[in-house]
Amino acid sequence: MNIGPTSIRMRIEPLKFPSSCDDIEAFTTLRGDVAMGNTYSEINLCDYTGDIPQHVLDCRQALCEQLGIGLDSLIMPRQTHTANISVVDDDFMALDTQHRKARLNAVDGLVTRLQRVAIGVNTADCVPIALRERKIGIIAIVHAGWRGTVARIAANAVTTMALMGADISEIEAAIGASICQKCFEVGDEVVERFSSAGFNISQLMQRDALTGKAHINLQAANAAVLTEAGIKLENITISGDCTRCNPQKYFSARRLGINSGRTFTFIIRH
Ligand SMILES: [Zn+2]
């Protein structure tokens, strides 16, 4: 059955940055009408986790209609837990679908100066991070699971923005909804990866009193990566929402399985 775009009721919620600014905004999609047993209901824009292609296309169309942009101005990478950043510029926009796809493969963060282009990432428990530098209008979006966090992908995005002329002291970051520390139980090999990458693990990890299992605070780890990269602490906001604790709002791979929908977090410069 084909579901027309008009049947999809798009729901998005703004990410809160430290300052208010209508020129550059970031949003997260909310699941919408969650149907029990349908791990893709209702808003899913991710096309590589098993959803019906027509449903994904309908959701993308519904979002573009709401934003008043064309489908070709909605850009999202094929994420593979790398620390790779790609720049979306005029040359990229001129590429055909096939070449765009190649450029976006194995990429987990995007940076652009273009207006009316929504750049976004798909997550289900991983950390989405939106960045903006308002002085010259550079924006970025990052997907950071634990691997991307350890590899400091958020710092790579900051570096890329700086190379394009952004003033790092002016960059604001909004860390979106993602798995909370209580829900994010990891094996000791993951703890070891954070430690050996130079993270202050005593601040980021707690052991459950009953199970003895390690729990890592991925949001705080990414805030640490950002401050290390030169972002002022007061220029960083962290969403309090946990994706696993809020199944009515967000997709969660730990709750729904790896083949579930994804929450789409994007930033756009108007
Ligand atoms: Zn939680």
Side-chain angles (χ1 to χ4, degrees):
M1 183 182 74
N2 281 4
I3 307 161
T6 49
S7 71
I8 302 269
R9 199 151 60 90
M10 184 52 55
R11 294 185 196 210
I12 55 176
E13 193 172 79
L15 266 71
K16 287 191 182 71
F17 282 99
S19 71
S20 59
C21 159
D22 294 337
D23 297 344
I24 300 172
E25 295 181 293
F27 298 91
T28 288
T29 58
L30 301 177
R31 287 191 68 184
D33 298 322
V34 179
M36 294 296 287
N38 181 354
T39 55
Y40 300 101
S41 75
E42 181 189 350
I43 308 296
N44 170 51
L45 282 73
C46 186
D47 66 354
Y48 53 84
T49 57
D51 195 0
I52 300 163
Q54 185 66 48
H55 176 243
V56 171
L57 184 60
D58 289 345
C59 290
R60 290 181 182 185
Q61 266 172 359
L63 179 62
C64 287
E65 279 171 26
Q66 185 153 333
L67 296 173
I69 61 173
L71 259 182
D72 62 347
S73 294
L74 178 65
I75 316 293
M76 62 190 87
R78 174 64 176 88
Q79 303 160 204
T80 53
H81 295 278
T82 68
N84 301 333
I85 305 287
S86 192
V87 175
V88 175
D89 54 14
D90 288 325
D91 289 346
F92 174 89
M93 295 303 283
L95 296 174
D96 61 25
T97 310
Q98 196 189 341
H99 287 91
R100 279 186 178 202
K101 216 172 169 178
R103 282 266 295 269
L104 294 173
N105 190 44
V107 165
D108 288 81
L110 299 172
V111 178
T112 193
R113 279 194 75 168
L114 301 177
Q115 288 176 277
R116 310 297 303 145
V117 171
I119 52 172
V121 290
N122 288 291
T123 61
D125 294 336
C126 291
V127 185
I129 305 164
L131 299 153
R132 70 180 185 193
E133 199 270 36
R134 292 159 59 181
K135 257 197 334 196
I136 60 171
I138 297 185
I139 57 176
I141 195 82
V142 167
H143 154 249
W146 73 260
R147 290 178 185 83
T149 305
V150 164
R152 293 181 167 78
I153 184 173
N156 289 352
V158 171
T159 304
T160 305
M161 292 170 83
L163 286 171
M164 289 165 69
D167 177 348
I168 292 179
S169 70
E170 296 282 327
I171 296 177
E172 293 184 333
I175 297 176
S178 38
I179 197 161
C180 73
Q181 185 167 14
K182 190 169 183 295
C183 289
F184 193 49
E185 179 188 297
V186 297
D188 283 345
E189 70 284 0
V190 174
V191 177
E192 177 49 36
R193 291 282 292 277
F194 275 86
S195 292
S196 56
F199 284 81
N200 187 342
I201 202 68
S202 64
Q203 277 184 11
L204 301 172
M205 189 268 284
Q206 283 184 336
R207 289 202 181 266
D208 186 281
L210 289 175
T211 65
K213 291 278 191 181
H215 290 250
I216 285 180
N217 188 333
L218 267 189
Q219 297 176 337
N222 278 286
V225 169
L226 288 167
T227 52
E228 256 177 36
I231 310 289
K232 297 175 193 163
L233 193 58
E234 66 264 31
N235 281 350
I236 302 170
T237 55
I238 299 179
S239 162
D241 269 5
C242 170
T243 44
R244 186 168 180 269
C245 291
N246 292 282
Q248 300 294 316
K249 288 179 80 174
Y250 309 109
F251 293 101
S252 165
R254 289 232 170 175
R255 183 179 284 279
L256 301 167
I258 200 70
N259 286 321
S260 72
R262 294 290 185 270
T263 298
F264 185 62
T265 302
F266 64 96
I267 185 164
I268 183 167
R269 183 180 165 209
H270 297 299

